[in-house]
Amino acid sequence: MRRIFSVLMENAPGALSRIMGVFSQRGYNVDSLCVAPTNDKSLSRLTIITEADDKVAEQILKQVNKLIDVLRVTELTGSAHVERELMLIKVATRTEVARAEVKRNVDIFRARVLDVTSQHYTMEITGTSDKLTAFADVMADCADITESARTGVCGLSRGDRALRP
């Protein structure tokens, strides 16, 4: 099952490495990783996506929570939460038909065109991982994907729940 973990940690050298060590030492794969400082520059928020059953998820929570750099850790998967990911994608648009189809799909998916050359469009799209994957699949059907990059998922709990120190 896909799991989303949110970690509030010290913004210090080696902190991320120690948390990722928990995953690598136990053979857990990380599907997505997103980390950045919070509004308090001494803290960072880390969002980790992995595949895990209930037992493994519980182990991950316990092991990560033991680390000295970690202030709080929670699993967002089972509760109301908001998650978003950003993708930049560049496609080759060599014909007018391809250009028109790309622009039509950009509108349908509410993406944005960032750069246009005579041969390429570069776009950004935000949303769930499924939405980004669907957009990439549609783009591959109407144009050649030259390159793409994804940020990884960022997530927050909805409502009053918050990951605070």
Side-chain angles (χ1 to χ4, degrees):
M1 178 179 178
R2 179 177 181 257
R3 305 289 181 145
I4 304 172
F5 296 99
S6 185
V7 181
L8 189 63
M9 60 189 233
E10 297 289 333
N11 187 6
L16 177 61
S17 176
R18 285 185 280 282
I19 293 170
M20 290 298 95
V22 168
F23 284 79
S24 65
Q25 290 169 356
R26 286 156 188 83
Y28 304 145
N29 188 45
V30 173
D31 295 329
S32 173
L33 178 71
C34 184
V35 62
T38 64
N39 56 329
D40 176 350
K41 298 299 179 201
S42 68
L43 303 175
S44 287
R45 176 180 299 274
L46 168 64
T47 306
I48 305 167
I49 308 288
T50 190
E51 292 287 328
D53 60 23
D54 291 340
K55 184 178 178 183
V56 170
E58 185 178 333
Q59 281 299 109
I60 290 171
L61 283 170
K62 287 179 180 177
Q63 295 298 319
V64 171
N65 211 26
K66 285 181 184 179
L67 298 173
I68 195 158
D69 298 308
V70 174
L71 281 78
R72 299 234 5 235
V73 60
T74 188
E75 184 181 353
L76 298 176
T77 313
S79 61
H81 68 280
V82 176
E83 64 180 85
R84 289 293 179 266
E85 185 175 3
L86 168 77
M87 177 172 61
L88 299 175
I89 184 168
K90 184 192 300 181
V91 297
T93 54
R94 292 181 180 90
T95 67
E96 283 302 315
V97 172
R99 284 170 127 22
E101 188 65 14
V102 166
K103 289 195 312 195
R104 187 177 75 79
N105 286 308
V106 163
D107 291 340
I108 290 170
F109 280 88
R110 295 189 180 127
R112 280 187 353 145
V113 175
L114 300 176
D115 185 49
V116 177
T117 67
S118 62
Q119 299 278 321
H120 292 89
Y121 276 11
T122 302
M123 297 148 294
E124 75 174 350
I125 182 168
T126 58
T128 63
S129 296
D130 291 341
K131 177 182 177 181
L132 274 57
T133 300
F135 183 70
D137 291 345
V138 168
M139 286 295 116
D141 288 342
C142 65
D144 293 329
I145 297 175
T146 306
E147 62 181 331
S148 68
R150 293 172 77 151
T151 60
V153 174
C154 292
L156 294 174
S157 297
R158 291 190 62 205
D160 292 341
R161 284 190 55 211
L163 200 58
R164 293 189 183 110

